[in-house]
Amino acid sequence: MCSPAIAFAGVGLALGIAQSYAQYQSQMDYANAQAQAQNDAIRQQQEYQNRLIQLENERYQAETNAVRARQLQEQQALARQGQQARQEARALKASALVQAGEAGVSGLSVDALLSDFTRQELNYQEAILREQQNKDAYYNEQLRQNRMQSAFNMAEMNRPITAQPIARPSAAGLAIGILGQGVGAYRDYLNFGGGMRPERSTPRSVLAIPS
């Protein structure tokens, strides 16, 4: 049967170890809950970012398609104008030749008239070409700005989501705590009276032996 000192120290040690482990487990559970909450928040944020990126891609593609469609419409309209101008120029030349023939005009006068029609047609075609070039430059600039805006938006949406460090209890701290409980239990054991006390030595009488 163990002495009361040992029992007292053992109960204190067991309670101390249980308290240290309970505190350690509570801190670990809290840290795990924080980590899980943070992971859930990061996942939701990532899903939100992915949705924004998808919407931005759709916006960029729709805007690009709209600009290119307007550009194509302008090109086709100017091409029709150029074709119509060429047809009108040929009709005018043919009519001029008929009128000149009916009037008995020929030679240099007719050539000069036809040259004038040709010059006017070329001037008109050059004007159409310049207008087409200016409009192409305008639409290309719109496409460039759209690309730049989309790249900026993507950079903003793709910012990395950084997880914050979470403080966790260390096993070394638990071990130190248990060691401290052991030292405390041993101190209680000594204070309770379980320590060994050295016995006092009884001085012996020294008899004088007569010489």
Side-chain angles (χ1 to χ4, degrees):
M1 184 174 181
C2 62
S3 66
I6 295 177
F8 178 78
V11 170
L13 177 61
L15 291 176
I17 292 176
Q19 182 180 3
S20 297
Y21 182 78
Q23 183 179 8
Y24 170 83
Q25 190 61 46
S26 176
Q27 293 175 351
M28 182 62 72
D29 292 342
Y30 179 73
N32 291 336
Q34 279 188 316
Q36 184 61 45
Q38 181 172 254
N39 291 336
D40 292 341
I42 290 176
R43 183 177 64 256
Q44 292 176 0
Q45 182 66 20
Q46 188 63 56
E47 292 175 353
Y48 177 70
Q49 283 186 346
N50 293 338
R51 178 56 180 163
L52 289 180
I53 291 172
Q54 179 183 359
L55 292 175
E56 173 58 25
N57 285 329
E58 293 174 358
R59 184 209 65 80
Y60 168 75
Q61 194 61 47
E63 180 65 21
T64 299
N65 292 340
V67 171
R68 287 176 175 169
R70 292 194 297 270
Q71 184 179 20
L72 180 60
Q73 290 174 356
E74 294 286 351
Q75 291 173 347
Q76 292 174 344
L78 290 176
R80 287 193 296 269
Q81 291 181 15
Q83 181 64 26
Q84 184 178 358
R86 285 189 293 270
Q87 293 175 353
E88 291 176 354
R90 286 195 296 268
L92 288 175
K93 289 179 181 180
S95 178
L97 288 174
V98 171
Q99 293 177 4
E102 293 176 350
V105 179
S106 62
L108 295 177
S109 298
V110 175
D111 292 339
L113 181 62
L114 295 177
S115 296
D116 184 62
F117 285 148
T118 301
R119 180 182 56 79
Q120 292 181 17
E121 179 190 0
L122 290 175
N123 290 338
Y124 186 74
Q125 295 293 342
E126 289 178 357
I128 291 177
L129 179 61
R130 285 193 299 270
E131 183 178 1
Q132 181 63 64
Q133 290 173 343
N134 292 335
K135 289 185 175 182
D136 283 343
Y138 169 75
Y139 288 122
N140 289 336
E141 177 62 19
Q142 282 192 326
L143 291 172
R144 187 188 69 84
Q145 292 181 2
N146 190 32
R147 286 194 300 271
M148 291 180 60
Q149 182 63 45
S150 182
F152 175 79
N153 293 341
M154 286 293 188
E156 289 293 315
M157 296 172 186
N158 276 324
R159 285 186 175 182
I161 304 174
T162 304
Q164 299 298 321
I166 296 176
R168 295 179 179 273
S170 65
L174 175 62
I176 293 174
I178 292 176
L179 179 62
Q181 295 294 336
V183 172
Y186 180 70
R187 188 182 297 113
D188 292 339
Y189 168 72
L190 294 178
N191 293 335
F192 193 78
M196 298 296 295
R197 293 183 177 85
E199 296 181 354
R200 293 183 179 180
S201 58
T202 303
R204 297 180 179 179
S205 299
V206 180
L207 296 178
I209 300 176
S211 55

